[in-house]
Amino acid sequence: MNVRRIGVVAVAAAAVLGLAACGGGGAGAGDFKIGVKYDQPGMGLKDGAKYTGFDIDVAKYVAKELGHSESDITFVQAPTPQRETLLSTGQVNLVVGTYSITDARKQKVSFAGPYFVAGQDLLVRSDDTSITGPDSLTGKKLCSVKGSTSAAKVKDKYPGVQLQEYDTYSKCVEALSAGAVDALTTDNTILAGYASQPQYKGKLKVVGQTFSEERYGIGIKKGDKALCEKINTAIKKMQDSGEWQKAIDKNLGPAGFKVDTSQNPPKVDTCS
């Protein structure tokens, strides 16, 4: 009798352990990891335990369409130089972080999208009238982030610029505000977010002369075409349902950012 009772207890315990291991048949809390930016107001910003921005809303919507609730998601910081490594090593499932689709990057990762088209611009101090566009940067100290498409374009097209490469845009903004550099270059979406922050409002301005086309894609592990197609379906649904526009208005509207409607919302055409 005692032996039978012990056997029943053992079977019951094993069943409980099995349920715990498989998370009750679904993804466990935090199992779906998405790489995002932590320091880009309006796009991807971490404030304590709170995540906000257009990229965050896109990430949540896509994850939901892939079958993941918000409790399944863990947001992981994805600095610009580390995004390909995070994907290729499986540390994240997706990267949604102002991730421009380029041929060079497609050698290492695959992209779904695009879900937004931005343009490279300049952020300067509000009282600076000498910088009116990229052609007026000769001899100026310009800040950007190492590994970004913005830094690469400046190196290629404007060799007279004194380029300073930092590891985050927030450090560039601090340097600009302090007078250590003359301008910051990255996508206009990101610059507008910084200019609208309370500590910089009225002190910094976006020049408003874009000189590139940045097609934001969702990065995934190289060659996962099935996942890519599912993400593209989700992006299209977000656009058609009006949720894409709601996310734009909520996150970029307060900065006074004007979306280029000739390019946005973009046609979802990438799966490579």
Side-chain angles (χ1 to χ4, degrees):
M1 192 69 165
N2 287 340
V3 172
R4 287 182 63 193
R5 196 169 287 151
I6 291 169
V8 169
V9 171
V11 171
V16 169
L17 286 171
L19 283 172
C22 70
D31 283 354
F32 195 67
K33 294 179 172 60
I34 304 178
V36 297
K37 291 299 180 71
Y38 279 13
D39 66 339
Q40 294 181 353
M43 295 302 290
L45 183 68
K46 182 179 187 290
D47 184 7
K50 187 178 180 183
Y51 297 85
T52 59
F54 179 64
D55 281 343
I56 302 298
D57 287 347
V58 170
K60 288 178 179 178
Y61 189 95
V62 168
K64 180 189 71 175
E65 292 299 309
L66 294 176
H68 300 280
S69 65
E70 282 195 35
S71 62
D72 293 340
I73 299 171
T74 294
F75 287 120
V76 177
Q77 187 173 20
T80 295
Q82 297 174 23
R83 291 178 294 197
E84 287 84 28
T85 300
L86 288 170
L87 286 166
S88 63
T89 57
Q91 294 179 64
V92 297
N93 300 95
L94 313 174
V95 169
V96 190
T98 57
Y99 202 1
S100 297
I101 301 168
T102 68
D103 289 339
R105 288 171 177 167
K106 285 193 286 187
Q107 299 302 310
K108 298 177 181 179
V109 301
S110 291
F111 286 98
Y115 62 90
F116 191 85
V117 179
Q120 187 173 349
D121 209 325
L122 299 166
L123 187 70
V124 298
R125 289 181 291 278
S126 294
D127 60 357
D128 188 340
T129 57
S130 66
I131 298 175
T132 56
D135 293 328
S136 58
L137 288 172
T138 300
K140 302 287 188 180
K141 291 180 181 177
L142 179 68
C143 194
S144 195
V145 167
K146 188 175 182 180
S148 68
T149 55
S150 301
K153 282 187 175 68
V154 168
K155 285 179 180 177
D156 291 343
K157 295 185 177 181
Y158 305 100
V161 176
Q162 298 177 40
L163 183 63
Q164 314 285 315
E165 293 183 88
Y166 290 18
D167 56 352
T168 64
Y169 290 114
S170 54
K171 289 182 181 178
C172 279
V173 178
E174 290 169 7
L176 175 61
S177 180
V181 298
D182 300 306
L184 158 61
T185 188
T186 185
D187 304 345
N188 51 1
T189 49
I190 301 168
L191 298 179
Y194 282 125
S196 70
Q197 291 297 285
Q199 67 269 40
Y200 301 123
K201 201 155 190 173
K203 298 178 181 178
L204 304 176
K205 65 181 180 181
V206 180
V207 171
Q209 295 292 330
T210 57
F211 51 101
S212 76
E213 180 181 280
E214 307 297 330
R215 300 167 75 242
Y216 292 166
I218 294 180
I220 60 175
K221 199 164 188 176
K222 180 72 176 172
D224 195 341
K225 192 167 184 179
L227 177 59
C228 182
E229 289 172 350
K230 288 177 182 177
I231 294 171
N232 278 352
T233 298
I235 294 170
K236 188 72 166 59
K237 184 176 178 181
M238 187 179 188
Q239 292 174 347
D240 293 344
S241 67
E243 291 302 311
W244 183 93
Q245 188 61 52
K246 285 181 185 178
I248 288 287
D249 294 342
K250 181 180 80 172
N251 294 292
L252 299 179
F257 182 79
K258 303 298 182 186
V259 173
D260 183 351
T261 54
S262 69
Q263 296 180 299
N264 287 292
K267 182 182 178 183
V268 181
D269 60 5
T270 297
C271 224
S272 57

